[in-house]
Amino acid sequence: MKKSIILIALLALCIGVKAQKTDTAKKEPSADSLMNSLSAGDDKHAYILSAFKATRLIFSPTTEMVRKKNLNFLVIHRFGDIATGPGGARTLFGLDAVNDVYIGFEYGVSDNFNINFGRSTIGQLVELQLKYALLHQTNDNSSPLGIALMGGTGVRPYGNFASFSDRLSYIAQAVFSRKFTQALSLEVSPVFVSDNQPIPNEAGNENSFFSLTAAGRLKVTKHMSILVDWEHPFSSYRTGTNGFQDPLGFGAEFETGGHVFTLNFTNARAVSQINSLSNSQASWGRGEYRFGFTISRMFDFNRKKEKKW
Amino acid sequence: MKYLSMLLLAWLTAFQAGQDIYICKNAKINLYSSAPIEDIEANSSQAVSVYKASTGELSFSLPIRSLHFEKSLMEEHFNENYMESDKYPKASFKGMVLSPPDISKDGTYPVNVTGDLEVHGVKQARTIKGEIKVNGGVISMTSEFIVKCADHKIDIPQIVFHHIAENIRIRVAATYAPYKN
């Protein structure tokens, strides 16, 4: 009797245990839903990747930054007129003539802060610029735009100037970019340019003026994109009647892993925005357009991390 | 006395029922590819895993963007061109440990895990070898296997200078804690 009571009690206990087991099973989420809840949310506010492939399009800088401890080496070339008098077959459509060569370095102090240094042939303009990534576009549109701020100064060490300060120019701009689809990215950028001595140095010209640039990139294949870049100075002096033209460029960009090559056609002769915004008089309509290219090569100085395995 | 031990056993079972699910929030993933110019390696310790000891259910999820490379440009190319991580933000594995070991006993158990490996949006049925280690109630797992880029429609364009190998070695290490709700 005693034995059977104990047995029954044990049985009851076991049932109790079983019930408890199913209870806990009910409370326990399935491995699947647990997995979902654990791995949810880790993509929130993730920055979008590569609105642009390089730190520059044809004229304009982009919101792309040189990453920390990386160095971007730039060579930008603009050849001679393709179709006008000095162009044609005799100069291999302008390839014999060089209008402007820019050699530059962009260094990533941090992922969001770059120092850019470069020099152009036109005016022997030497430039130092600081670039700061204010905002990154995110996947969930919590930030719909990427914004980069840039400020710089240029000096023309050669040529006749009344004083040293006349050699200086300044540029400040904000770049607003958005990657609309996997293929299409656009940007606009208000720019302020100030030349201490107006360029060209003519009566009636202004020292300072605002401009707007607009540019776009359309990705055609994984490694090739087409580019359009346009600049417009808002200046009562820089008008068509005074012989000025808006720089307009078309290009194709090739990314090869480490290098980005841009092949382009532009009317503007100058590479530096200080030069191209201040003084662009070459016209597409008159055949004063040229071939140009940009080579951008990234070097990485991050020390090899210790292997964790 | 006999009943007492039976009672104890019954309670033990109940206790175990509460500790059937094990989770790991910081599973380590290592990716390695030997390429002609330079070896390419990436690490993440942000993979998430759930293991149900009674049934052997095992799943892993890895946010692709959490894989960090030595060179930032490599990381960008990996995400943008190969993994398209904007479109396919995660790689995952969902499967079963075949004949799951008794986790109440310490030991090292070689296991086979069978299930679907999803990388780059492409699922592949795989049986992967691994090892489950139980030490004082702590469960850890390790595994090493090869992923073929072609199996997951990851194409390697000819234009790219530093080629990535066709086969990528993946190493996984996870240490689990009992899930408390």
Side-chain angles (χ1 to χ4, degrees), chain B residues 114-132:
Chain B
T114 180
D116 285 334
L117 178 69
E118 188 175 342
V119 179
H120 192 232
V122 181
K123 268 188 192 170
Q124 267 273 313
R126 294 283 302 261
T127 299
I128 293 165
K129 276 185 182 153
E131 205 174 73
I132 295 182

Side-chain angles (χ1 to χ4, degrees), chain A residues 215-234:
Chain A
R217 168 182 177 254
L218 184 69
K219 214 168 149 179
V220 180
T221 71
K222 272 187 183 175
H223 294 270
M224 201 275 267
S225 305
I226 50 175
L227 310 174
V228 180
D229 204 334
W230 169 71
E231 296 183 312
H232 177 73
F234 295 101

Side-chain angles (χ1 to χ4, degrees), chain A residues 155-176:
Chain A
V155 59
R156 296 167 203 275
Y158 303 100
N160 293 319
F161 290 90
S163 70
F164 177 76
S165 75
D166 283 352
R167 298 178 185 275
L168 298 177
S169 300
Y170 305 95
I171 187 164
Q173 71 186 104
V175 188
F176 299 87

Side-chain angles (χ1 to χ4, degrees), chain B:
Chain B
M1 196 58 207
K2 214 179 186 180
Y3 300 124
L4 204 70
S5 60
M6 276 181 91
L7 256 167
L8 216 66
L9 200 72
W11 276 115
L12 209 76
T13 333
F15 179 64
Q16 274 194 343
Q19 285 207 348
D20 187 30
I21 290 189
Y22 289 81
I23 60 167
C24 172
K25 288 183 188 172
N26 54 358
K28 285 202 242 169
I29 307 282
N30 168 272
L31 174 158
Y32 178 83
S33 139
S34 176
I37 296 172
E38 53 190 333
D39 293 343
I40 293 167
E41 192 175 5
N43 286 295
S44 168
S45 55
Q46 287 174 42
V48 168
S49 178
V50 172
Y51 178 54
K52 200 168 178 191
S54 59
T55 59
E57 258 178 272
L58 178 66
S59 34
F60 275 91
S61 172
L62 168 72
I64 298 297
R65 292 275 289 269
S66 73
L67 279 164
H68 292 303
F69 289 72
E70 185 198 322
K71 292 187 176 176
S72 40
L73 208 59
M74 274 182 192
E75 196 170 310
E76 192 181 315
H77 293 155
F78 174 77
N79 280 296
E80 203 197 357
N81 298 330
Y82 302 107
M83 301 301 286
E84 299 175 87
S85 60
D86 279 345
K87 245 192 272 178
Y88 313 108
K90 279 171 191 164
S92 66
F93 178 81
K94 200 163 167 281
M96 301 287 269
V97 176
L98 302 171
S99 50
D102 178 1
I103 54 158
S104 62
K105 284 180 206 145
D106 281 5
T108 303
Y109 307 94
V111 289
N112 277 311
V113 187
T114 180
D116 285 334
L117 178 69
E118 188 175 342
V119 179
H120 192 232
V122 181
K123 268 188 192 170
Q124 267 273 313
R126 294 283 302 261
T127 299
I128 293 165
K129 276 185 182 153
E131 205 174 73
I132 295 182
K133 209 180 254 181
V134 182
N135 189 7
V138 178
I139 301 177
S140 51
M141 283 187 206
T142 52
S143 178
E144 183 176 323
F145 57 96
I146 299 289
V147 172
K148 284 186 188 147
C149 293
D151 285 353
H152 295 279
K153 296 204 169 91
I154 300 165
D155 29 282
I156 296 155
Q158 287 301 308
I159 194 172
V160 172
F161 287 165
H162 41 238
H163 284 284
I164 289 181
E166 302 276 304
N167 295 326
I168 312 285
R169 187 193 70 192
I170 309 289
R171 284 196 286 192
V172 182
T175 303
Y176 293 81
Y179 174 69
K180 296 179 191 95
N181 40 337

Side-chain angles (χ1 to χ4, degrees), chain A residues 128-146:
Chain A
L128 181 70
Q129 293 186 331
L130 304 178
K131 183 180 177 186
Y132 174 66
L134 187 68
L135 204 64
H136 293 273
Q137 187 186 339
T138 57
N139 277 338
D140 62 354
N141 271 332
S142 64
S143 155
L145 293 175

Side-chain angles (χ1 to χ4, degrees), chain A residues 48-302:
Chain A
I48 57 124
L49 283 166
S50 317
F52 295 97
K53 208 59 263 186
T55 54
R56 290 189 185 223
L57 292 173
I58 300 169
F59 312 118
S60 313
T62 66
T63 45
E64 291 300 306
M65 300 300 287
V66 175
R67 307 288 167 79
K68 188 178 181 182
K69 285 190 183 171
N70 280 18
L71 179 74
N72 186 22
F73 173 57
L74 284 162
V75 177
I76 309 177
H77 231 88
R78 302 266 190 270
F79 288 95
D81 293 2
I82 287 178
T84 53
R90 191 170 169 174
T91 59
L92 197 58
F93 305 96
L95 291 185
D96 287 346
V98 169
N99 270 310
D100 200 8
V101 178
Y102 177 89
I103 292 174
F105 301 89
E106 300 179 336
Y107 183 72
V109 177
S110 79
D111 284 353
N112 291 327
F113 184 64
N114 290 174
I115 294 180
N116 305 342
F117 180 78
R119 191 259 189 197
S120 314
T121 306
I122 294 179
Q124 293 81 39
L125 179 70
V126 178
E127 283 179 275
L128 181 70
Q129 293 186 331
L130 304 178
K131 183 180 177 186
Y132 174 66
L134 187 68
L135 204 64
H136 293 273
Q137 187 186 339
T138 57
N139 277 338
D140 62 354
N141 271 332
S142 64
S143 155
L145 293 175
I147 304 177
L149 304 178
M150 228 167 139
T153 180
V155 59
R156 296 167 203 275
Y158 303 100
N160 293 319
F161 290 90
S163 70
F164 177 76
S165 75
D166 283 352
R167 298 178 185 275
L168 298 177
S169 300
Y170 305 95
I171 187 164
Q173 71 186 104
V175 188
F176 299 87
S177 79
R178 177 160 169 84
K179 188 177 184 179
F180 287 91
T181 67
Q182 286 301 317
L184 179 69
S185 303
L186 300 177
E187 68 168 41
V188 289
S189 170
V191 191
F192 178 74
V193 178
S194 182
D195 301 309
N196 279 359
Q197 176 177 293
I199 297 165
N201 191 11
E202 285 167 4
N205 195 358
E206 302 140 316
N207 293 80
S208 304
F209 57 96
F210 278 100
S211 308
L212 192 73
T213 79
R217 168 182 177 254
L218 184 69
K219 214 168 149 179
V220 180
T221 71
K222 272 187 183 175
H223 294 270
M224 201 275 267
S225 305
I226 50 175
L227 310 174
V228 180
D229 204 334
W230 169 71
E231 296 183 312
H232 177 73
F234 295 101
S235 159
S236 51
Y237 178 76
R238 289 169 181 79
T239 58
T241 48
N242 282 346
F244 288 91
Q245 298 285 331
D246 282 359
L248 174 65
F250 304 94
E253 183 183 73
F254 301 88
E255 183 258 303
T256 62
H259 287 87
V260 178
F261 298 98
T262 307
L263 308 179
N264 56 54
F265 292 95
T266 68
N267 59 325
R269 289 177 175 140
V271 173
S272 164
Q273 282 192 296
I274 291 177
N275 286 329
S276 68
L277 287 167
S278 299
N279 188 13
S280 271
Q281 301 191 27
S283 156
W284 276 93
R286 289 197 298 264
E288 291 163 337
Y289 52 86
R290 69 216 59 261
F291 174 66
F293 65 81
T294 300
I295 298 172
S296 162
R297 161 76 199 182
M298 198 70 81
F299 296 93
D300 197 312
F301 294 109
N302 285 297

